[in-house]
């Protein structure tokens, strides 16, 4: 099924989930596709189309039940459970990510930190001891790690990825500025802040 | 023109630029659309289609001249010049971003840092003194700031954005987990790492 769902749809589902949480926090029990559209800066038709990929929700004229749709979106996005995550790379970006509270609140639990720097290996970050790259396979296996947050230099990224894939990793949030080569069953999301700045300067330049 | 160019195309243009820089570093003068496709994990037809938005490049059977296409992509992406950037929010993410060398290498020059915390205001980061939010308008005007990197808590983000827009900001790289409301002439790129993790867990869940 995932093959047919565009990335923009998935992103909107995440937005709808946040809106539903806000609306539930306001103590309300139903919401219209118009209001979800308004909060997500899209159209009511788009909301209905996005949700239609995953079954039938809501009643014409009555809208959606907030708790029901919220729980269903948690399931669809796979965040109705805990995901074990390893942080690979204990540099500046790794450090900022490690202390980022939003990850854990959504069920992404960092259970291991890996770095190649001998001066960092063995250091404690919170309750976790920084491990050397040689332990990647055993950490994945023994801790049930499914996701990597990869914050290492470009030249190290593919080699670490190959080892993680061999050991059964399922998804990678990639901060290294390269396109990782992975088999089709492994999901990759690239975070490339320079490219996002380029998208801004592109938009401004073409507009001007 | 920017209205008609999809975000995925812009991202591929950034990838082509990186590939061209690598190829130029290898001392080569021409490249085929097939090779650009291969390095960018797309198809040759897609490469030709992406570039066709911006004019006529390359010769059938001869490929593209590397230096010519590289310079043209710099122009198209608007990175053939320096962009003055302000970092708004001197927290953990702001700190990691400030020391991120890739920004400056691409012409994004941080010329101001702003934070609301009285304990941070006045501190020096490199050659820059952290300024209070009250100075946002005067900083934009006096320093010619066009881009904001917005790394502040969600509840502060819209108010700061409104002031920046009023003072003439043109683009915002937004780390706050909200959808900023801006007029259509202001470009926004959202960085939402939790949503990118959700895209991973979605892909793995739907696949499983």
């Amino acid at each position: 099924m995932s093959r047919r769902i565009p990335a923009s749809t998935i992103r909107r589902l995440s937005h709808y989930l946040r809106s539903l949480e806000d609306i539930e926090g306001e103590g309300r029990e139903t919401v219209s596709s118009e209001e979800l559209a308004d909060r997500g800066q899209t159209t009511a038709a788009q909301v209905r189309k996005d949700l239609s990929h995953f079954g039938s929700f809501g009643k014409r004229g009555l809208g959606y039940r907030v708790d029901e749709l919220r729980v269903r979106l948690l399931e669809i996005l796979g965040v109705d459970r805990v995901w074990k995550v390893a942080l690979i790379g204990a540099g500046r970006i790794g450090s900022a990510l490690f202390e980022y509270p939003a990850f854990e609140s959504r069920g992404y639990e960092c259970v291991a930190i890996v770095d190649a720097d001998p001066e960092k290996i063995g250091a404690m970050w919170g309750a976790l001891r920084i491990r050397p790259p040689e332990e990647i396979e055993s950490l994945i296996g023994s801790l049930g790690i499914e996701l990597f947050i990869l914050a290492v230099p470009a030249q190290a990224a593919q080699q670490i990825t190959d080892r993680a894939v061999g050991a059964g990793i399922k998804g990678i949030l990639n901060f290294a500025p390269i396109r990782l080569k992975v088999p089709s069953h492994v999901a990759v999301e690239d975070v490339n802040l320079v490219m996002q700045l380029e998208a801004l300067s592109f938009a401004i330049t073409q507009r001007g």
Side-chain angles (χ1 to χ4, degrees), chain A residues 22-197:
Chain A
D22 290 345
I23 292 165
E24 195 162 53
E26 294 161 14
R28 292 167 44 204
E29 294 186 355
T30 59
V31 65
S32 63
S33 44
E34 285 74 16
E35 181 173 350
L36 280 179
D38 207 44
R39 289 179 181 244
Q41 291 176 31
T42 181
T43 64
Q46 184 71 62
V47 171
R48 289 188 291 265
K49 186 179 170 205
D50 288 340
L51 296 176
S52 73
H53 290 293
F54 306 98
S56 174
F57 300 95
K59 292 203 176 107
R60 192 172 293 272
L62 293 174
Y64 304 101
R65 288 198 56 85
V66 173
D67 56 350
E68 198 176 291
L69 186 55
R70 184 182 62 77
V71 168
R72 189 70 187 97
L73 280 173
L74 288 171
E75 291 168 3
I76 291 167
L77 290 167
V79 287
D80 54 339
R81 67 170 180 95
V82 170
W83 293 82
K84 306 278 188 182
V85 179
L87 172 63
I88 314 297
R92 288 193 195 94
I93 289 184
S95 159
L97 296 172
F98 183 68
E99 311 209 28
Y100 194 49
F103 287 159
E104 196 127 346
S105 73
R106 212 27 126 204
Y108 299 100
E109 185 191 355
C110 185
V111 297
I113 309 170
V114 172
D115 200 285
D117 181 348
E119 297 200 1
K120 287 181 180 159
I121 294 167
M124 299 296 290
W125 277 18
L128 296 177
R129 190 178 297 282
I130 298 179
R131 320 298 313 187
E134 295 72 46
E135 296 185 18
I136 283 178
E137 287 86 352
S138 63
L139 288 167
I140 290 175
S142 62
L143 298 174
I145 293 166
E146 293 175 288
L147 299 176
F148 262 27
I149 297 179
L150 191 61
V152 300
Q155 63 271 24
Q158 186 61 54
Q159 195 196 353
I160 288 174
T161 297
D162 292 343
R163 293 178 50 193
V165 167
I169 205 81
K170 294 177 180 169
I172 300 171
L173 185 66
N174 173 40
F175 286 80
I178 66 164
R179 290 219 156 181
L180 297 176
K181 293 186 180 70
V182 296
S184 62
H185 67 274
V186 176
V188 174
E189 279 280 316
D190 292 310
V191 182
N192 193 315
L193 303 175
V194 175
M195 284 195 190
Q196 290 198 277
L197 282 173

Side-chain angles (χ1 to χ4, degrees), chain A residues 193-207:
Chain A
L193 303 175
V194 175
M195 284 195 190
Q196 290 198 277
L197 282 173
E198 286 176 3
L200 289 178
S201 51
F202 172 88
I204 296 164
T205 302
Q206 299 295 322
R207 207 168 276 170

